Amino acid sequence: MQKITQDKLLEKAVSLLSNGTVSAVLGWSKGEFSYDVTPKMFKTEDDLKENFIWNDFCGVNFSKYLVSKTDRFEGKILVFLKPCDTYSFNQLLTEHRFDREKVYAIGVPCEGMVDVSKLKAKTGEGISEIKEDGENLKVTKIYEDNQVAVPFKDVLLERCINCKSKKHVAYDELMGDEGEVIDSNRFDEVAKLEALTPDERFAFWQNELSRCIRCNACRDACPACTCEKCVFDNPASGVENKAPANSFEEKMFHIIRAYHVAGRCTDCGECSRVCPQNIPLHLLNRKFIKDINEFYGEYQAGAEVGSRAPLVDYTTEDLEPGEVFDRRDTDA
Amino acid sequence: MQVNEHKPLIVAFCCNWCSYAGADLAGNNRLNYPADVKIIRVPCSCRVNPMFILRAFQRGADGVIICGCHPGDCHYTSGNYYTRRRMAALFSMLDFLGIEKERTRVEWVSAAEGAKFAATMNDFVEKVTALGENKRLEDLRCKR
Ligand code: FES
């Protein structure tokens, strides 16, 4: 249920493209079905008018695309950013991954995005059309004539349930109203897991991570993972682009993936959104964020450009690694 | 009947400037510590990449300990401060995944602390032996 309409965004994009402010538009484009939305670089007005889309399925965070697209284009790129996307945008600027001058960022308000797999779990396969209707989504299926109404709130993406901010932290132009940073309960689930015994935690993660097929989607979608050469692409590593052979490889991949973005992860939740196996990957990232907040003080990656990530910083009074556990165990 | 007691394999990453010399001193002073500890010399404790630790577990280690200079004494000024933050985060994550927290440790051992080195190793080996074999991060293909 988005507050701002597709027509408004389209109008804006067309006008900026036609008056030459930008030479391309990075936006969401129609896929085969109304729920599979694909990122696209629009270069012509016709293309925009025909394919540009803005609906409840536009979860894609465009920040990372700027890294590869800005070098390749003359002139500016127009990009649409939802509030959580702007954090990744700032984080990438902090790391000097793209040229700010070459981007025209428009902030769009977001009411939360829909998780297609959650929707399908409720309606079954064969969705042919989805219409918005007040608080519900009206789903038409190819096999049946009657429509199914699904409450929008029930099929939100995991990351949107605990949305951390409706505030845009970076933009050239904002459409709609300025939002607020929300006091969300995003660490509740992590805390719940922490309260389990090690055996239970191991069983939980064994169950989740053993579904991993190592498609690398989480890495590829992650706006913090922008290394040109990735450890997991190293043919000498023995773990290059292949399904995990055993429980060690499953865990190793996920520990290292989360570790490499620790302190830089803005908690945008792209990893969990793109996971075809629905592994709650964001919990690993949130664990790091929660720890860092507790050990070294509150830190939100991407809240401002130029802030120093906690793991590349130190104070002489930091906690000892052993004390981490003592603290927790005495708390419990 | 003879019972096969499990002998743990411990990997100790020791920084060249303090802990490695500390281990040397322990040897010179003929202090006993278990032979299950295999020392890997690294230029500084912050040289230890989290991947090294996971790899050690994969290749059959039952416990991994990282030793470096005392905070403030690092040969490269600040290396061990980074180690401290990194390992706090990593170990906490390993614990979150259900891997026994006693299997990992960071200790600061200076070049003059041969006795501390031996005592640390004795204690660590004892704890890891009590836990038994590392099953949660093992790779059967790498087992001897
Ligand atoms: S040189 Fe010993 S910890 Fe850096």
Side-chain angles (χ1 to χ4, degrees):
Chain A
M1 232 50 38
Q2 303 306 326
K3 280 209 182 115
I4 201 146
T5 59
Q6 175 173 329
D7 295 336
K8 272 211 177 138
L9 294 192
L10 182 59
E11 195 187 314
K12 182 105 246 159
V14 169
S15 79
L16 286 172
L17 190 63
S18 60
N19 73 16
T21 315
V22 297
S23 59
V25 177
L26 182 49
W28 302 273
S29 131
K30 249 183 222 146
E32 188 132 7
F33 304 102
S34 55
Y35 54 82
D36 64 0
V37 173
T38 325
K40 185 170 182 184
M41 290 295 283
F42 296 94
K43 283 162 222 151
T44 63
E45 281 174 44
D46 292 342
D47 194 9
L48 264 173
K49 282 179 187 147
E50 202 171 311
N51 293 316
F52 182 84
I53 204 169
W54 167 248
N55 60 20
D56 296 333
F57 298 90
C58 295
V60 190
N61 176 348
F62 287 137
S63 316
K64 187 178 184 178
Y65 289 79
L66 297 172
V67 175
S68 62
K69 298 294 181 206
T70 42
D71 302 347
R72 264 185 245 160
F73 266 90
E74 287 292 326
K76 286 196 177 202
I77 295 179
L78 167 64
V79 62
F80 290 108
L81 299 172
K82 303 188 291 302
C84 56
D85 304 346
T86 57
Y87 287 83
S88 318
F89 184 85
N90 268 353
Q91 184 59 31
L92 286 167
L93 279 176
T94 304
E95 292 164 12
H96 309 286
R97 298 299 281 129
F98 64 86
D99 186 357
R100 182 69 179 86
E101 295 299 304
K102 297 193 77 177
V103 180
Y104 190 85
I106 293 190
V108 287
C110 163
E111 299 304 309
M113 289 292 160
V114 171
D115 186 337
V116 186
S117 46
K118 277 191 190 169
L119 185 63
K120 281 185 178 168
K122 293 217 184 281
T123 63
E125 291 287 342
I127 298 174
S128 62
E129 203 189 0
I130 301 168
K131 278 234 168 72
E132 294 179 8
D133 173 33
E135 290 297 292
N136 292 322
L137 291 174
K138 274 204 167 159
V139 180
T140 320
K141 303 212 304 173
I142 39 177
Y143 312 116
E144 293 145 38
D145 295 331
N146 59 327
Q147 290 180 329
V148 204
V150 181
F152 180 66
K153 288 268 173 301
D154 290 359
V155 288
L156 279 180
L157 278 170
E158 214 54 53
R159 70 170 186 224
C160 302
I161 298 174
N162 292 311
C163 178
K164 66 178 181 297
S165 170
K166 298 269 185 230
K167 181 184 165 156
H168 291 82
V169 290
Y171 55 80
D172 291 311
E173 188 176 329
L174 184 65
M175 300 188 79
D177 307 323
E178 181 102 39
E180 293 287 322
V181 175
I182 307 170
D183 196 12
S184 67
N185 304 322
R186 60 188 172 127
F187 298 121
D188 285 4
E189 238 171 302
V190 178
K192 233 183 268 167
L193 283 171
E194 280 172 351
L196 300 176
T197 65
D199 290 344
E200 288 166 335
R201 280 200 297 267
F202 184 75
F204 172 84
W205 284 111
Q206 178 88 331
N207 179 31
E208 296 291 345
L209 299 182
S210 60
R211 295 204 302 273
C212 176
I213 54 173
R214 266 306 296 284
C215 62
N216 285 343
C218 47
R219 177 199 70 177
D220 294 346
C222 174
C225 279
T226 54
C227 295
E228 261 140 46
K229 294 228 160 74
C230 173
V231 268
F232 296 114
D233 287 337
N234 174 6
S237 69
V239 291
E240 180 214 16
N241 297 333
K242 70 177 191 53
N246 56 28
S247 116
F248 172 81
E249 286 188 1
E250 284 155 12
K251 297 193 181 61
M252 195 254 315
F253 175 74
H254 290 286
I255 295 170
I256 298 291
R257 184 198 64 78
Y259 189 86
H260 280 183
V261 297
R264 305 186 298 119
C265 167
T266 62
D267 199 10
C268 74
E270 282 288 273
C271 43
S272 296
R273 184 183 69 82
V274 297
C275 181
Q277 299 291 78
N278 293 323
I279 302 173
L281 295 165
H282 61 284
L283 293 182
L284 294 174
N285 295 330
R286 279 190 188 158
K287 167 69 179 163
F288 275 128
I289 298 174
K290 181 169 183 281
D291 277 353
I292 286 169
N293 284 347
E294 282 171 15
F295 304 161
Y296 312 120
E298 291 282 320
Y299 178 80
Q300 171 62 52
E304 52 195 297
V305 180
S307 65
R308 213 176 153 111
L311 286 193
V312 293
D313 203 2
Y314 66 87
T315 68
T316 48
E317 266 83 55
D318 283 339
L319 223 64
E320 292 293 334
E323 281 169 8
V324 169
F325 299 120
D326 300 347
R327 228 167 68 136
R328 191 201 55 196
D329 293 347
T330 47
D331 275 0
Chain B
M1 198 182 80
Q2 199 202 337
V3 184
N4 265 341
E5 209 187 300
H6 170 64
K7 291 286 266 173
L9 178 67
I10 309 290
V11 173
F13 290 100
C14 293
C15 93
N16 182 31
W17 303 98
C18 284
S19 311
Y20 195 77
D24 222 10
L25 188 65
N28 278 342
N29 289 348
R30 303 187 178 273
L31 298 170
N32 279 326
Y33 69 88
D36 313 317
V37 179
K38 308 290 179 224
I39 297 179
I40 297 179
R41 183 166 63 153
V42 285
C44 173
S45 62
C46 75
R47 173 67 184 88
V48 179
N49 178 325
M51 197 77 141
F52 292 2
I53 297 170
L54 298 184
R55 283 286 188 220
F57 281 121
Q58 178 189 23
R59 306 275 152 93
D62 298 303
V64 176
I65 180 164
I66 296 163
C67 301
C69 316
H70 283 267
D73 290 345
C74 172
H75 187 74
Y76 308 96
T77 323
S78 54
N80 49 12
Y81 289 129
Y82 292 110
T83 311
R84 191 155 68 173
R85 283 206 169 185
R86 287 177 195 160
M87 294 309 146
L90 180 69
F91 293 173
S92 174
M93 174 54 85
L94 291 179
D95 174 64
F96 186 60
L97 292 178
I99 289 133
E100 302 91 338
K101 62 177 196 276
E102 290 85 0
R103 291 196 191 278
T104 45
R105 195 186 285 190
V106 171
E107 248 353 295
W108 312 122
V109 180
S110 84
E113 293 176 328
K116 181 177 179 189
F117 183 86
T120 306
M121 291 306 160
N122 280 317
D123 179 60
F124 190 56
V125 170
E126 195 182 307
K127 295 256 161 67
V128 175
T129 314
L131 281 178
E133 227 177 318
N134 157 38
K135 288 250 191 285
R136 302 201 161 164
L137 267 184
E138 75 178 349
D139 191 335
L140 282 175
R141 296 169 304 178
C142 299
K143 285 269 149 129
R144 292 153 297 170

